[in-house]
Amino acid sequence: MSTSRYTRFADFYPFYLAEHSNTTCRRLHFVGSTLVLACLFKLATTGSLAWLLYGLLCGYGFAWVGHFFFEKNRPATFKYPLYSLMGDWVMYADIWRGRIKL
């Protein structure tokens, strides 16, 4: 983990991508983020707050398995929670755009 403090997301994102160099880790992030969207849809359509919990479990669960077992690093969310959340969704969009390979 870098010891510098990031003050701009534009500076943080390259670091974030470097922390996700393992293909399996990126794939797990992608699956988790897709499940988060599905859970948010269910929350919106049912009104059941349980779907918010399921979404958090899916998002963080898949991501953390990717980091601890495949990437072998500590998730950046522990040090940079907001930037990491933003990074998750920018990386997700970049994967859909074909800028990042799975």
Side-chain angles (χ1 to χ4, degrees):
M1 201 84 165
S2 174
T3 58
S4 65
R5 291 297 303 173
Y6 292 99
T7 57
R8 295 177 344 121
F9 179 73
D11 296 329
F12 172 80
Y13 192 55
F15 162 75
Y16 179 86
L17 290 178
E19 295 289 295
H20 296 82
S21 60
N22 180 277
T23 305
T24 303
C25 181
R26 284 194 310 272
R27 288 176 180 164
L28 287 167
H29 270 265
F30 186 81
V31 169
S33 294
T34 301
L35 290 173
V36 166
L37 293 176
C39 289
L40 289 175
F41 176 77
K42 289 294 284 184
L43 170 65
T45 58
T46 67
S48 173
L49 289 178
W51 288 105
L52 185 59
L53 175 63
Y54 302 151
L56 289 170
L57 291 172
C58 287
Y60 285 112
F62 278 84
W64 290 358
V65 166
H67 283 286
F68 293 126
F69 294 103
F70 297 97
E71 194 74 58
K72 308 271 197 242
N73 64 13
R74 186 174 173 200
T77 193
F78 294 130
K79 192 168 183 181
Y80 303 101
L82 180 60
Y83 281 169
S84 291
L85 180 62
M86 292 167 59
D88 282 341
W89 292 109
V90 172
M91 183 173 73
Y92 185 77
D94 284 346
I95 289 168
W96 274 112
R97 292 181 186 119
R99 295 178 184 164
I100 296 174
K101 301 231 185 271
L102 286 182

